[in-house]
Amino acid sequence: MATTQASTTAGGVQPAVPGAPQGGAGVEREFTVKARSQRQQIVRRFLHNKVGMTGLVVFCLLLVFGFIGPLVDGKTYSDLDSGAQSVRPGTQGYLLGSDAIGRDLLAGLMSGVQRSLFIVLLFIVIALPVGLLVGALAGYFGRWVDSVLMRVVDLILTVPLLVVLIVVASNFPGSRTPLGVGIILGLFGWLDLARIVRSQFLSLREKEYVEAAHSLGASNGRIIFKHLIPNALGSLIVWTTLAAANAIILEASLTYLGFGVNDPNATSLGRLVSDGVQAASTRPWLFYFPGITLLIIVLSINLIGDGIRDAFDPSNRRVRA
């Protein structure tokens, strides 16, 4: 049986409220739990992911190196110095050395990072909406729409992507610029995304909230853009990061085979690696510095992708949400 005590005040005697702190017992603390949205939980898990944060820090440093570094260095890769040909690193004011015609390799790396990231950005801008559209239509509507679209995807996937890119680049010589290479990669780099989105939509369209939206009279377009795509966002972001790293490797492969960027003044990391291979034995700095930079940028993007994947994984409990 609950009992209460009375407290005496200047105005008289008042009954005490059950559960209220009494005079000598001290003040009870009130504990509250702050609710976090799903987006806040994902961000929190990513920020506590050491692998993902390491990749993000390295990638940001590369951005600073590629876009702010030229403003500090003051040199451009197109500048030729006939008196400093094949200079070793650290001599005559060339921190990373120069090539056979007197171009500063450090300026070349900065320009290469810019061009490679431009190619990746162009690839994502083209491939992401195309793959999302094809996969969404195939997975949501199913039946003959799914059959037609997926057979087209399967037909293109029967030929290795690198072979398709080589054939297209060889028939369009004017496309061997950072802009052209980015467009070519984007036009043929959406196939895996289409299959991923299709599998996501095949599962999501059977959920109760989709049936509820149908019963309320929501259009197919509203259901796709307001309900299905936001719930597939995790897969889209993970694919974007991993595909970006793959695009850099494909650009380097195309350039190495002679079908990529061929403008000497609009170089990329792949072009620098391709040019440095022939001099690797006599002037190793022309090959190893671009190769290491290419490796670091691909590795950093992959680490970011791993961190994002863990952040979107609801079964990941290593970090309290």
Side-chain angles (χ1 to χ4, degrees):
M1 180 176 179
T3 60
T4 61
Q5 297 179 355
S7 60
T8 305
T9 63
V13 178
Q14 296 180 352
V17 179
Q22 304 303 319
V27 179
E28 292 184 358
R29 293 184 179 180
E30 183 176 332
F31 293 94
T32 58
V33 178
K34 181 181 179 181
R36 295 189 179 96
S37 65
Q38 183 180 10
R39 180 182 303 176
Q40 292 174 330
Q41 295 175 14
I42 292 172
V43 173
R44 179 178 173 83
R45 284 197 291 262
F46 179 77
L47 293 177
H48 285 79
N49 188 293
K50 295 181 180 180
V51 173
M53 289 302 298
T54 301
L56 181 61
V57 170
V58 173
F59 185 75
C60 291
L61 292 177
L62 287 171
L63 291 178
V64 173
F65 171 76
F67 292 93
I68 300 180
L71 302 178
V72 178
D73 185 60
K75 297 180 181 179
T76 61
Y77 189 61
S78 59
D79 294 337
L80 304 180
D81 187 355
S82 59
Q85 297 176 351
S86 299
V87 172
R88 290 184 175 276
T91 58
Q92 299 186 26
Y94 290 89
L95 183 62
L96 299 182
S98 64
D99 61 8
I101 58 177
R103 292 179 299 190
D104 186 10
L105 182 58
L106 179 61
L109 289 181
M110 295 176 183
S111 177
V113 171
Q114 291 181 17
R115 299 296 187 277
S116 295
L117 293 180
F118 171 75
I119 291 173
V120 169
L121 179 62
L122 191 59
F123 159 75
I124 293 175
V125 168
I126 296 175
L128 182 61
V130 174
L132 179 59
L133 177 63
V134 173
L137 293 177
Y140 181 75
F141 291 104
R143 298 183 180 180
W144 66 269
V145 178
D146 182 22
S147 299
V148 172
L149 293 178
M150 286 300 102
R151 296 299 77 76
V152 173
V153 171
D154 292 339
L155 179 62
I156 301 176
L157 286 175
T158 55
V159 183
L161 179 58
L162 187 59
V163 175
V164 175
L165 297 177
I166 291 175
V167 171
V168 174
S170 61
N171 289 308
F172 297 94
S175 64
R176 298 177 189 177
T177 62
L179 177 62
V181 172
I183 293 175
I184 292 176
L185 291 176
L187 291 177
F188 296 95
W190 53 269
L191 303 172
D192 291 335
L193 176 61
R195 302 181 72 171
I196 293 173
V197 174
R198 171 184 176 270
S199 63
Q200 289 282 318
F201 273 47
L202 286 175
S203 174
L204 292 175
R205 70 177 185 178
E206 305 298 332
K207 299 296 183 179
E208 290 80 2
Y209 60 84
V210 176
E211 296 180 0
H214 274 301
S215 62
L216 293 175
S219 63
N220 292 326
R222 180 176 179 82
I223 293 176
I224 291 175
F225 287 100
K226 295 293 185 180
H227 298 286
L228 298 185
I229 291 181
N231 284 280
L233 190 60
S235 299
L236 296 179
I237 296 178
V238 172
W239 175 88
T240 300
T241 55
L242 300 180
N246 190 38
I248 295 178
I249 297 176
L250 284 175
E251 181 274 325
S253 302
L254 281 176
T255 305
Y256 180 78
L257 296 174
F259 298 97
V261 178
N262 64 352
D263 185 356
N265 295 325
T267 188
S268 65
L269 292 177
R271 177 61 189 265
L272 290 174
V273 172
S274 177
D275 293 342
V277 168
Q278 301 176 357
S281 58
T282 58
R283 290 162 291 169
W285 61 89
L286 296 179
F287 170 72
Y288 286 106
F289 284 134
I292 292 174
T293 304
L294 183 66
L295 176 64
I296 291 175
I297 192 172
V298 172
L299 179 61
S300 65
I301 295 176
N302 280 326
L303 292 180
I304 294 173
D306 291 341
I308 294 176
R309 181 183 57 194
D310 292 341
F312 274 95
D313 186 4
S315 63
N316 182 16
R317 297 303 180 200
R318 288 180 295 179
V319 176
R320 293 182 60 185

